[in-house]
Amino acid sequence: MPRKSAQTEEETEIEKIIHLKSNQPNKDESLSHMLAAVLEYISDEEVEEIDFEYILDHTEGLRKWWEQYQENNRKKIEEEIKNSLSELSFEELQKIREQIKEK
């Protein structure tokens, strides 16, 4: 009996590995597709000015990925802002304060 349960555990581990591997190509493929679309747009000689919003709107899945990326890096962004505040003048800080109050 112990052999059978050991085999079952082994099979479960193999199934997990296969499942993880099968998900990875889809993610890589999606990222590759988004990168290719962005590079194609950037390299288009007819495009005079790169429009970031256009890229987000016309590249499938890119806006969702970008929003997730921003949310994941929120803490880092907050820390960068806190660190840069000490370098600002009093007037600049007041302007920021006013902008925050307006929201």
Side-chain angles (χ1 to χ4, degrees):
M1 281 284 209
R3 281 185 134 185
K4 193 170 190 177
S5 65
Q7 288 176 340
T8 304
E9 288 175 25
E10 215 173 276
E11 289 171 1
T12 305
E13 288 299 316
I14 291 172
E15 288 173 7
K16 286 181 186 177
I17 292 170
I18 291 171
H19 181 67
L20 289 174
K21 285 183 179 179
S22 67
N23 284 342
Q24 190 64 28
N26 291 335
K27 184 178 178 181
D28 288 345
E29 186 177 312
S30 177
L31 289 173
S32 293
H33 176 71
M34 287 188 282
L35 178 59
V38 170
L39 290 174
E40 185 176 326
Y41 172 80
I42 291 172
S43 64
D44 186 350
E45 293 180 12
E46 293 181 15
V47 175
E48 293 180 18
E49 186 175 310
I50 296 172
D51 183 355
F52 187 67
E53 284 299 317
Y54 178 87
I55 293 171
L56 290 176
D57 290 338
H58 292 89
T59 304
E60 184 180 341
L62 186 58
R63 182 172 295 280
K64 182 179 177 183
W65 177 87
W66 179 243
E67 289 169 355
Q68 288 174 345
Y69 175 82
Q70 287 180 313
E71 188 59 36
N72 290 339
N73 290 298
R74 182 182 177 94
K75 296 270 185 215
K76 182 180 176 184
I77 293 168
E78 288 175 358
E79 194 61 36
E80 288 175 4
I81 291 171
K82 285 179 188 177
N83 292 337
S84 66
L85 290 176
S86 62
E87 299 171 7
L88 298 176
S89 69
F90 183 72
E91 291 80 21
E92 291 171 321
L93 290 172
Q94 283 181 319
K95 287 179 185 178
I96 293 172
R97 184 179 187 192
E98 290 172 14
Q99 290 175 346
I100 291 171
K101 284 183 178 181
E102 289 175 4
K103 290 187 176 193

